[in-house]
Amino acid sequence: MDKYPDQKRAVQYLYPPIDPFDQRMMDVGDGHKIYVEQCGNPSGIPVVVLHGGPGGGCSPAMRRYFDPAVFRVVLFDQRGCGRSRPHAVIENNTTWHLVRDIEMIREALGIDAWIAFGGSWGATLALIYAQTHPDRVRELVLRGVFTMTKAEIDWFYGGGAGKFWPEVWARFVGLIPEDERDDLVAAYHKRLFSGDRMEETKYGRAWASWENALASIHSNGMGGEAPGEYARAFSRLENHYFINGGFLEFDGQILANMDRIADIPGTVVQGRYDMICPPDSAYAIVQRWPRGTLKMVRNAGHALSEPGISSELVRTMDRIGMTEQRR
């Protein structure tokens, strides 16, 4: 669940723009090819960046949270989005396919273990990956934690967040007939997968706009209108994952499995006024994570571009870089 409005607001905290030293399309099987890039120091501390959504894709700004002299930064567009192909496709696209893709990338790049850096859905995926392959994760840096529980999805699509933004909620709900409003994820699913490209794009824009409108603490409630193809891919993929409960074995699986990463150090950066992923999820995982630290950012919402969020993430990565270099 991720969009990044007002990116310029955080720019003062970021490292200068850089270009990748390696770009490739990797065939991961199942008819999917994913875009992978590397930037920074080829001999540096490896970091894998896990973008939000699902379906959000990577952006050049994501390269700038890391000192390019210290880190070897690996970014990739997850199945079905960004520059990966085929676009907006949900076949062979589950959490477990993505976990396998991350391992395939690690092996292809000759990396023994790396730092997993992710926000929103990227934090979800980072936690699941670490719980599945704890020996491959050196550290976790998470932002705007989402643990893919029914309660979290109900909060955002069942009217909880809408109580704070009633006029924006009314726009989102208003496109759906009254007799279908008891399950908006299912109602939107029906339209996002109707087979009518125009209808899918219309509802994709509405789905993305609802989320984007609540991302920043400085929001005026206008989510903007995303490009049609982006909105359609983002919304189809996100809805596909949500309607399937993230393809987890049971509700609350991530929290229940925190013991698997008890020995992995981690930092959680969380906006105090995050409307998309409320802070109780971040607090709950840290309570079960002996080596996890929670950095609650005052006057911040969900977006990566919140100045407080960006500054804390850069500070965290700088600290990790200095610690690693001393070893």
Side-chain angles (χ1 to χ4, degrees):
M1 305 171 79
D2 224 341
K3 278 289 280 168
Y4 311 114
D6 306 324
Q7 187 65 43
K8 289 182 180 179
R9 290 167 22 77
V11 76
Q12 61 183 308
Y13 301 107
L14 307 183
Y15 283 92
I18 56 171
D19 293 323
F21 65 77
D22 172 46
Q23 294 174 289
R24 63 182 79 184
M25 294 295 291
M26 184 177 294
D27 190 336
V28 291
D30 307 313
H32 286 270
K33 292 184 178 181
I34 60 173
Y35 170 82
V36 182
E37 68 175 44
Q38 300 186 76
C39 59
N41 181 353
S43 302
I45 303 162
V47 182
V48 60
V49 178
L50 305 174
H51 67 68
C58 287
S59 71
M62 293 179 187
R63 305 168 186 158
R64 301 177 59 187
Y65 287 79
F66 316 93
D67 184 339
V70 174
F71 293 100
R72 175 186 180 185
V73 185
V74 180
L75 303 95
F76 73 101
D77 291 334
Q78 296 160 26
R79 294 188 183 204
C81 68
R83 290 148 289 189
S84 296
R85 294 293 180 267
H87 193 63
V89 167
I90 62 168
E91 285 74 26
N92 299 312
N93 195 337
T94 71
T95 304
W96 305 108
H97 286 100
L98 301 185
V99 168
R100 192 182 72 186
D101 293 348
I102 297 168
E103 274 295 273
M104 192 174 293
I105 293 168
R106 184 190 61 76
E107 292 173 358
L109 299 181
I111 295 169
D112 181 58
W114 46 9
I115 298 165
F117 179 103
S120 197
W121 158 253
T124 318
L125 186 56
L127 286 163
I128 294 169
Y129 173 70
Q131 290 175 353
T132 307
H133 299 285
D135 56 327
R136 299 305 180 188
V137 178
R138 296 163 65 154
E139 192 151 349
L140 283 161
V141 179
L142 312 176
R143 186 265 312 169
V145 168
F146 173 59
T147 60
M148 191 60 80
T149 62
K150 184 178 185 300
E152 289 166 306
I153 293 172
D154 286 348
W155 158 263
F156 200 65
Y157 296 103
K163 293 183 185 299
F164 289 86
W165 293 89
E167 73 283 19
V168 185
W169 177 248
R171 289 201 304 265
F172 181 62
V173 173
L175 291 176
I176 303 298
E178 288 190 22
D179 62 353
E180 294 184 60
R181 292 179 186 174
D182 60 328
D183 187 344
L184 288 171
V185 175
Y188 267 86
H189 183 84
K190 176 180 175 182
R191 291 155 178 85
L192 289 168
F193 295 92
S194 68
D196 180 326
R197 181 64 69 96
M198 288 185 66
E199 181 177 60
E200 290 177 0
T201 301
K202 172 186 173 181
Y203 285 90
R205 280 179 163 147
W207 177 279
S209 180
W210 160 241
E211 185 170 321
N212 196 34
L214 274 62
S216 171
I217 196 171
H218 300 286
S219 175
N220 61 5
M222 301 305 294
E225 187 166 279
E229 274 304 291
Y230 171 86
R232 177 174 173 268
F234 173 81
S235 302
R236 279 165 58 94
L237 287 170
E238 195 169 78
N239 181 281
H240 164 66
Y241 274 74
F242 293 170
I243 205 166
N244 286 290
F247 302 94
L248 300 183
E249 293 177 12
F250 58 91
D251 192 40
Q253 178 176 326
I254 291 174
L255 192 61
N257 289 343
M258 288 303 293
D259 62 305
R260 296 185 181 181
I261 62 170
D263 295 329
I264 300 175
T267 302
V268 178
V269 177
Q270 178 71 41
R272 172 68 73 184
Y273 300 106
D274 189 334
M275 283 286 164
I276 297 174
C277 298
D280 59 334
S281 292
Y283 182 79
I285 67 162
V286 171
Q287 294 306 297
R288 297 197 184 192
W289 190 3
R291 301 192 67 187
T293 300
L294 177 60
K295 302 284 189 180
M296 195 73 77
V297 180
R298 184 172 61 93
N299 297 334
H302 182 72
L304 179 64
S305 62
E306 303 274 10
I309 300 289
S310 286
S311 63
E312 193 61 58
L313 287 170
V314 171
R315 189 179 302 117
T316 297
M317 293 310 304
D318 286 347
R319 174 187 54 77
I320 292 171
M322 287 189 289
T323 302
E324 291 273 351
Q325 288 177 312
R326 290 193 194 108
R327 290 175 180 170

